[in-house]
Short mmCIF file of all heavy atoms in Angstrom, two decimals:
data_model
loop_
_atom_site.label_atom_id
_atom_site.label_comp_id
_atom_site.label_asym_id
_atom_site.label_seq_id
_atom_site.Cartn_x
_atom_site.Cartn_y
_atom_site.Cartn_z
N SER A 1478 -23.28 -0.60 -0.53
CA SER A 1478 -23.51 -1.30 -1.79
C SER A 1478 -23.62 -2.80 -1.55
O SER A 1478 -24.52 -3.46 -2.08
CB SER A 1478 -22.38 -1.01 -2.77
OG SER A 1478 -22.51 -1.79 -3.93
N TRP A 1479 -22.71 -3.35 -0.75
CA TRP A 1479 -22.76 -4.78 -0.44
C TRP A 1479 -24.05 -5.13 0.29
O TRP A 1479 -24.68 -6.15 0.01
CB TRP A 1479 -21.57 -5.19 0.42
CG TRP A 1479 -20.26 -5.22 -0.31
CD1 TRP A 1479 -20.05 -4.97 -1.64
CD2 TRP A 1479 -18.99 -5.53 0.24
NE1 TRP A 1479 -18.71 -5.09 -1.93
CE2 TRP A 1479 -18.04 -5.43 -0.80
CE3 TRP A 1479 -18.55 -5.85 1.52
CZ2 TRP A 1479 -16.69 -5.68 -0.60
CZ3 TRP A 1479 -17.19 -6.08 1.71
CH2 TRP A 1479 -16.28 -6.00 0.66
N GLU A 1480 -24.48 -4.26 1.18
CA GLU A 1480 -25.72 -4.51 1.92
C GLU A 1480 -26.93 -4.48 0.98
O GLU A 1480 -27.82 -5.30 1.10
CB GLU A 1480 -25.88 -3.49 3.05
CG GLU A 1480 -27.04 -3.76 3.96
CD GLU A 1480 -26.97 -5.09 4.69
OE1 GLU A 1480 -25.87 -5.65 4.90
OE2 GLU A 1480 -28.06 -5.61 5.06
N ARG A 1481 -26.95 -3.53 0.04
CA ARG A 1481 -28.06 -3.48 -0.93
C ARG A 1481 -28.11 -4.75 -1.76
O ARG A 1481 -29.18 -5.31 -2.02
CB ARG A 1481 -27.93 -2.26 -1.83
CG ARG A 1481 -28.31 -0.95 -1.17
CD ARG A 1481 -28.41 0.18 -2.19
NE ARG A 1481 -27.20 0.38 -2.96
CZ ARG A 1481 -26.18 1.16 -2.59
NH1 ARG A 1481 -26.25 1.81 -1.45
NH2 ARG A 1481 -25.12 1.31 -3.37
N CYS A 1482 -26.94 -5.24 -2.18
CA CYS A 1482 -26.88 -6.48 -2.96
C CYS A 1482 -27.39 -7.65 -2.13
O CYS A 1482 -28.16 -8.47 -2.62
CB CYS A 1482 -25.46 -6.76 -3.42
SG CYS A 1482 -24.92 -5.67 -4.76
N ARG A 1483 -26.98 -7.71 -0.88
CA ARG A 1483 -27.41 -8.80 0.01
C ARG A 1483 -28.92 -8.74 0.20
O ARG A 1483 -29.62 -9.77 0.13
CB ARG A 1483 -26.69 -8.72 1.34
CG ARG A 1483 -27.12 -9.81 2.31
CD ARG A 1483 -26.43 -9.69 3.62
NE ARG A 1483 -25.21 -10.48 3.57
CZ ARG A 1483 -24.32 -10.53 4.53
NH1 ARG A 1483 -24.47 -9.82 5.61
NH2 ARG A 1483 -23.26 -11.28 4.42
N GLN A 1484 -29.46 -7.54 0.44
CA GLN A 1484 -30.90 -7.39 0.67
C GLN A 1484 -31.72 -7.72 -0.57
O GLN A 1484 -32.86 -8.14 -0.45
CB GLN A 1484 -31.21 -5.96 1.14
CG GLN A 1484 -30.76 -5.69 2.56
CD GLN A 1484 -30.96 -4.25 2.96
OE1 GLN A 1484 -31.40 -3.41 2.19
NE2 GLN A 1484 -30.61 -3.95 4.21
N SER A 1485 -31.12 -7.56 -1.74
CA SER A 1485 -31.86 -7.88 -2.97
C SER A 1485 -31.71 -9.36 -3.34
O SER A 1485 -32.16 -9.79 -4.39
CB SER A 1485 -31.41 -7.00 -4.12
OG SER A 1485 -30.09 -7.31 -4.51
N GLY A 1486 -31.04 -10.13 -2.46
CA GLY A 1486 -30.94 -11.57 -2.67
C GLY A 1486 -29.75 -12.01 -3.51
O GLY A 1486 -29.69 -13.16 -3.94
N LYS A 1487 -28.80 -11.13 -3.74
CA LYS A 1487 -27.63 -11.49 -4.53
C LYS A 1487 -26.65 -12.32 -3.69
O LYS A 1487 -26.46 -12.08 -2.52
CB LYS A 1487 -26.89 -10.25 -5.04
CG LYS A 1487 -27.74 -9.35 -5.90
CD LYS A 1487 -28.06 -10.01 -7.21
CE LYS A 1487 -28.87 -9.08 -8.10
NZ LYS A 1487 -29.43 -9.75 -9.22
N SER A 1488 -26.03 -13.28 -4.34
CA SER A 1488 -25.01 -14.12 -3.72
C SER A 1488 -23.66 -13.43 -3.87
O SER A 1488 -23.42 -12.76 -4.88
CB SER A 1488 -24.99 -15.48 -4.41
OG SER A 1488 -23.79 -16.15 -4.16
N PRO A 1489 -22.74 -13.60 -2.90
CA PRO A 1489 -21.41 -12.98 -3.02
C PRO A 1489 -20.64 -13.42 -4.27
O PRO A 1489 -19.82 -12.68 -4.77
CB PRO A 1489 -20.67 -13.42 -1.77
CG PRO A 1489 -21.74 -13.83 -0.82
CD PRO A 1489 -22.91 -14.27 -1.63
N ASN A 1490 -20.94 -14.60 -4.77
CA ASN A 1490 -20.24 -15.11 -5.95
C ASN A 1490 -20.98 -14.82 -7.25
O ASN A 1490 -20.49 -15.13 -8.32
CB ASN A 1490 -20.02 -16.62 -5.82
CG ASN A 1490 -19.16 -16.94 -4.63
OD1 ASN A 1490 -18.23 -16.21 -4.29
ND2 ASN A 1490 -19.48 -18.02 -3.94
N GLU A 1491 -22.15 -14.23 -7.14
CA GLU A 1491 -22.96 -13.94 -8.32
C GLU A 1491 -22.48 -12.68 -9.03
O GLU A 1491 -22.17 -11.67 -8.40
CB GLU A 1491 -24.42 -13.75 -7.87
CG GLU A 1491 -25.40 -13.53 -8.98
CD GLU A 1491 -26.82 -13.41 -8.44
OE1 GLU A 1491 -27.06 -13.73 -7.25
OE2 GLU A 1491 -27.68 -12.99 -9.21
N HIS A 1492 -22.41 -12.75 -10.34
CA HIS A 1492 -22.03 -11.58 -11.13
C HIS A 1492 -23.22 -10.62 -11.17
O HIS A 1492 -24.34 -11.02 -11.48
CB HIS A 1492 -21.64 -11.99 -12.55
CG HIS A 1492 -21.27 -10.86 -13.42
ND1 HIS A 1492 -20.08 -10.17 -13.25
CD2 HIS A 1492 -21.91 -10.26 -14.44
CE1 HIS A 1492 -20.02 -9.20 -14.16
NE2 HIS A 1492 -21.12 -9.24 -14.89
N VAL A 1493 -22.99 -9.37 -10.83
CA VAL A 1493 -24.06 -8.38 -10.82
C VAL A 1493 -23.99 -7.56 -12.10
O VAL A 1493 -22.94 -7.02 -12.44
CB VAL A 1493 -23.92 -7.44 -9.59
CG1 VAL A 1493 -25.01 -6.38 -9.59
CG2 VAL A 1493 -23.97 -8.26 -8.31
N GLU A 1494 -25.09 -7.52 -12.81
CA GLU A 1494 -25.18 -6.74 -14.04
C GLU A 1494 -25.64 -5.33 -13.71
O GLU A 1494 -26.55 -5.13 -12.92
CB GLU A 1494 -26.19 -7.38 -15.01
CG GLU A 1494 -25.75 -8.70 -15.58
CD GLU A 1494 -24.58 -8.57 -16.55
OE1 GLU A 1494 -24.47 -7.53 -17.24
OE2 GLU A 1494 -23.77 -9.51 -16.60
N PHE A 1495 -25.01 -4.36 -14.32
CA PHE A 1495 -25.41 -2.98 -14.16
C PHE A 1495 -26.00 -2.51 -15.48
O PHE A 1495 -25.57 -2.92 -16.55
CB PHE A 1495 -24.21 -2.11 -13.78
CG PHE A 1495 -23.64 -2.46 -12.45
CD1 PHE A 1495 -22.55 -3.32 -12.34
CD2 PHE A 1495 -24.20 -1.94 -11.29
CE1 PHE A 1495 -22.03 -3.64 -11.10
CE2 PHE A 1495 -23.68 -2.26 -10.05
CZ PHE A 1495 -22.59 -3.12 -9.96
N ASP A 1496 -26.98 -1.64 -15.38
CA ASP A 1496 -27.61 -1.09 -16.58
C ASP A 1496 -26.85 0.16 -16.99
O ASP A 1496 -27.00 1.22 -16.37
CB ASP A 1496 -29.08 -0.73 -16.30
CG ASP A 1496 -29.92 -1.96 -16.00
OD1 ASP A 1496 -29.61 -3.02 -16.55
OD2 ASP A 1496 -30.86 -1.84 -15.20
N PRO A 1497 -26.03 0.05 -18.03
CA PRO A 1497 -25.30 1.24 -18.45
C PRO A 1497 -26.24 2.26 -19.08
O PRO A 1497 -27.27 1.91 -19.65
CB PRO A 1497 -24.31 0.71 -19.49
CG PRO A 1497 -24.91 -0.56 -19.97
CD PRO A 1497 -25.74 -1.10 -18.85
N VAL A 1498 -25.88 3.52 -18.95
CA VAL A 1498 -26.68 4.58 -19.54
C VAL A 1498 -26.34 4.66 -21.02
O VAL A 1498 -25.17 4.68 -21.40
CB VAL A 1498 -26.38 5.93 -18.85
CG1 VAL A 1498 -27.17 7.06 -19.50
CG2 VAL A 1498 -26.68 5.84 -17.37
N ASP A 1499 -27.36 4.67 -21.84
CA ASP A 1499 -27.20 4.78 -23.28
C ASP A 1499 -26.49 6.09 -23.62
O ASP A 1499 -26.81 7.14 -23.07
CB ASP A 1499 -28.58 4.72 -23.94
CG ASP A 1499 -28.52 4.81 -25.43
OD1 ASP A 1499 -27.56 4.30 -26.04
OD2 ASP A 1499 -29.47 5.40 -26.01
N LYS A 1500 -25.51 6.03 -24.53
CA LYS A 1500 -24.72 7.23 -24.86
C LYS A 1500 -25.58 8.36 -25.40
O LYS A 1500 -25.33 9.52 -25.10
CB LYS A 1500 -23.62 6.86 -25.86
CG LYS A 1500 -22.50 6.09 -25.23
CD LYS A 1500 -21.39 5.82 -26.24
CE LYS A 1500 -20.29 5.01 -25.58
NZ LYS A 1500 -19.19 4.73 -26.49
N SER A 1501 -26.59 8.05 -26.19
CA SER A 1501 -27.43 9.11 -26.74
C SER A 1501 -28.25 9.77 -25.63
O SER A 1501 -28.44 11.00 -25.63
CB SER A 1501 -28.34 8.57 -27.84
OG SER A 1501 -29.21 7.60 -27.32
N LYS A 1502 -28.72 8.98 -24.67
CA LYS A 1502 -29.47 9.56 -23.55
C LYS A 1502 -28.56 10.42 -22.69
O LYS A 1502 -28.95 11.47 -22.21
CB LYS A 1502 -30.09 8.45 -22.70
CG LYS A 1502 -31.26 7.78 -23.34
CD LYS A 1502 -31.85 6.72 -22.43
CE LYS A 1502 -32.99 6.00 -23.12
NZ LYS A 1502 -33.55 4.93 -22.28
N LEU A 1503 -27.33 9.95 -22.48
CA LEU A 1503 -26.37 10.70 -21.70
C LEU A 1503 -26.03 12.03 -22.39
O LEU A 1503 -25.97 13.08 -21.75
CB LEU A 1503 -25.11 9.88 -21.46
CG LEU A 1503 -24.09 10.44 -20.50
CD1 LEU A 1503 -24.69 10.65 -19.12
CD2 LEU A 1503 -22.89 9.51 -20.41
N ALA A 1504 -25.81 11.98 -23.69
CA ALA A 1504 -25.51 13.19 -24.44
C ALA A 1504 -26.68 14.18 -24.37
O ALA A 1504 -26.48 15.39 -24.17
CB ALA A 1504 -25.21 12.84 -25.90
N PHE A 1505 -27.91 13.66 -24.48
CA PHE A 1505 -29.09 14.51 -24.37
C PHE A 1505 -29.16 15.16 -22.99
O PHE A 1505 -29.44 16.34 -22.86
CB PHE A 1505 -30.37 13.71 -24.65
CG PHE A 1505 -31.62 14.49 -24.40
CD1 PHE A 1505 -32.06 15.43 -25.31
CD2 PHE A 1505 -32.35 14.28 -23.23
CE1 PHE A 1505 -33.21 16.17 -25.07
CE2 PHE A 1505 -33.49 15.01 -22.99
CZ PHE A 1505 -33.92 15.95 -23.90
N LEU A 1506 -28.89 14.38 -21.97
CA LEU A 1506 -28.95 14.88 -20.60
C LEU A 1506 -27.90 15.98 -20.39
O LEU A 1506 -28.20 17.03 -19.82
CB LEU A 1506 -28.70 13.74 -19.61
CG LEU A 1506 -29.28 13.99 -18.26
CD1 LEU A 1506 -30.26 12.87 -17.95
CD2 LEU A 1506 -28.22 14.05 -17.23
N PHE A 1507 -26.68 15.76 -20.86
CA PHE A 1507 -25.64 16.77 -20.73
C PHE A 1507 -26.02 18.05 -21.48
O PHE A 1507 -25.81 19.15 -21.00
CB PHE A 1507 -24.29 16.26 -21.22
CG PHE A 1507 -23.56 15.42 -20.21
CD1 PHE A 1507 -23.04 14.19 -20.56
CD2 PHE A 1507 -23.38 15.86 -18.91
CE1 PHE A 1507 -22.36 13.42 -19.64
CE2 PHE A 1507 -22.70 15.10 -17.97
CZ PHE A 1507 -22.19 13.88 -18.34
N GLU A 1508 -26.58 17.88 -22.66
CA GLU A 1508 -26.95 19.04 -23.46
C GLU A 1508 -28.09 19.81 -22.80
O GLU A 1508 -28.05 21.03 -22.70
CB GLU A 1508 -27.38 18.59 -24.87
CG GLU A 1508 -27.65 19.74 -25.80
CD GLU A 1508 -27.98 19.26 -27.20
OE1 GLU A 1508 -27.32 18.32 -27.68
OE2 GLU A 1508 -28.90 19.84 -27.81
#
Side-chain angles (χ1 to χ4, degrees):
S1478 174
W1479 288 358
E1480 187 61 25
R1481 285 191 303 273
C1482 287
R1483 179 182 269 176
Q1484 288 175 358
S1485 68
K1487 301 292 182 192
S1488 161
N1490 299 323
E1491 184 178 347
H1492 179 72
V1493 178
E1494 291 291 328
F1495 295 96
D1496 295 327
V1498 178
D1499 180 34
K1500 286 183 181 181
S1501 62
K1502 287 181 183 178
L1503 188 59
F1505 173 77
L1506 205 122
F1507 278 131
E1508 186 176 319

